[in-house]
Amino acid sequence: MNRRNYQKELDKELKHIQESGTVPTLLLHSCCAPCSSYVLEYLTEYFRITLLYYNPNIYPESEYRCRVQEQQRLIRELPTRHPVEFLEGDYRPEDFYACAKGLESLPEGGERCFRCYRLRLTEAAKTAKEKGCDYFATTLSISPLKNADKLNEIGESLATEYGLTWLPNDFKKRDGYKRSIELSREYGLYRQDYCGCVFSLRERHPDAG
């Protein structure tokens, strides 16, 4: 079975936007400042972006607060063609634990992560609907550890459910991940060494959590 090329699909959509002469609105879910750096540099050429920081999976709360501050700092300091609005979602770790219930012992990258994708993308879809955004997307696909096929599958499903337009993406393509590392160094961004949840922390550091 041939896998879809989400970068080519994104190229096609961006070309259509350029030819239309419009600047549509995009609700962009972000997992952290480093992952959002390249995506913001890339997409603010085409969109007016509202960046939603909704990540109830982050553990502990001090880590969450650190990532929020770095996200806000990046938005202040990164030059963009069109302005970026920051929106922080509610931090309710209990919502993450509810969706992960029964899957706590699974390794990273499996069904627990897919449920976490859906939790965060559902909030992004709801917010995009409330704000009347033209598109919605997430920065998550920039990570080599994240499943771009599953992210796009969930995004497209939610777009149908909420009457929205999902922006297809696999931001790690065309050295997107490499560029995010370069930008992180340039802006001195804090780069965590685990995905964010307590389970990923314990997998990375067995004595932690």
Side-chain angles (χ1 to χ4, degrees):
M1 186 175 83
N2 292 328
R3 293 183 60 186
R4 288 170 60 182
N5 188 319
Y6 295 105
Q7 180 61 54
K8 286 187 176 180
E9 292 182 29
L10 177 57
D11 288 342
K12 183 177 179 180
E13 192 64 30
L14 295 180
K15 181 179 179 182
H16 171 73
I17 289 170
Q18 278 188 312
E19 291 174 347
S20 73
T22 63
V23 183
T25 53
L26 169 67
L27 190 291
L28 179 66
H29 165 264
S30 173
C31 55
C32 63
C35 286
S36 73
S37 59
Y38 163 73
V39 181
L40 288 173
E41 180 184 66
Y42 181 21
L43 294 184
T44 52
E45 289 293 312
Y46 307 93
F47 298 96
R48 294 192 303 274
I49 294 176
T50 296
L51 186 144
L52 173 66
Y53 191 89
Y54 172 71
N55 299 290
N57 57 307
I58 303 300
Y59 174 90
E61 184 172 353
S62 58
E63 175 75 14
Y64 172 85
R65 298 299 169 195
C66 178
R67 296 190 192 195
V68 170
Q69 291 171 5
E70 283 294 86
Q71 184 69 78
Q72 292 173 309
R73 180 171 72 85
L74 177 66
I75 290 173
R76 289 194 303 270
E77 297 180 5
L78 183 72
T80 58
R81 181 176 181 182
H82 300 291
V84 178
E85 176 189 355
F86 176 78
L87 183 62
E88 182 180 355
D90 292 333
Y91 180 58
R92 296 188 300 265
E94 61 270 21
D95 292 347
F96 167 69
Y97 292 119
C99 87
K101 188 174 178 60
L103 305 174
E104 294 88 349
S105 62
L106 292 182
E108 285 293 289
E111 182 60 32
R112 187 183 65 241
C113 293
F114 298 163
R115 288 191 187 182
C116 185
Y117 296 170
R118 181 170 289 277
L119 174 68
R120 290 185 279 173
L121 285 176
T122 296
E123 186 67 16
K126 289 178 179 177
T127 305
K129 185 74 171 180
E130 290 169 2
K131 292 182 69 67
C133 292
D134 299 307
Y135 296 84
F136 78 111
T138 179
T139 64
L140 285 166
S141 71
I142 198 169
S143 169
L145 301 177
K146 298 294 187 292
N147 188 316
D149 289 323
K150 181 59 68 171
L151 286 165
N152 281 279
E153 174 189 315
I154 293 170
E156 289 171 351
S157 173
L158 291 168
T160 299
E161 181 179 347
Y162 287 91
L164 300 166
T165 300
W166 170 254
L167 189 70
N169 64 83
D170 189 356
F171 293 121
K172 70 179 70 66
K173 299 296 186 180
R174 294 188 183 154
D175 288 331
Y177 178 66
K178 179 182 176 182
R179 178 59 179 158
S180 75
I181 294 174
E182 293 172 351
L183 286 167
S184 294
R185 289 173 180 159
E186 182 178 341
Y187 288 91
L189 296 176
Y190 162 66
R191 289 184 67 88
Q192 61 281 0
D193 68 349
Y194 67 103
C195 174
C197 73
V198 65
F199 309 113
S200 63
L201 174 61
R202 289 171 180 167
E203 191 169 306
R204 181 78 174 180
H205 303 284
D207 297 329

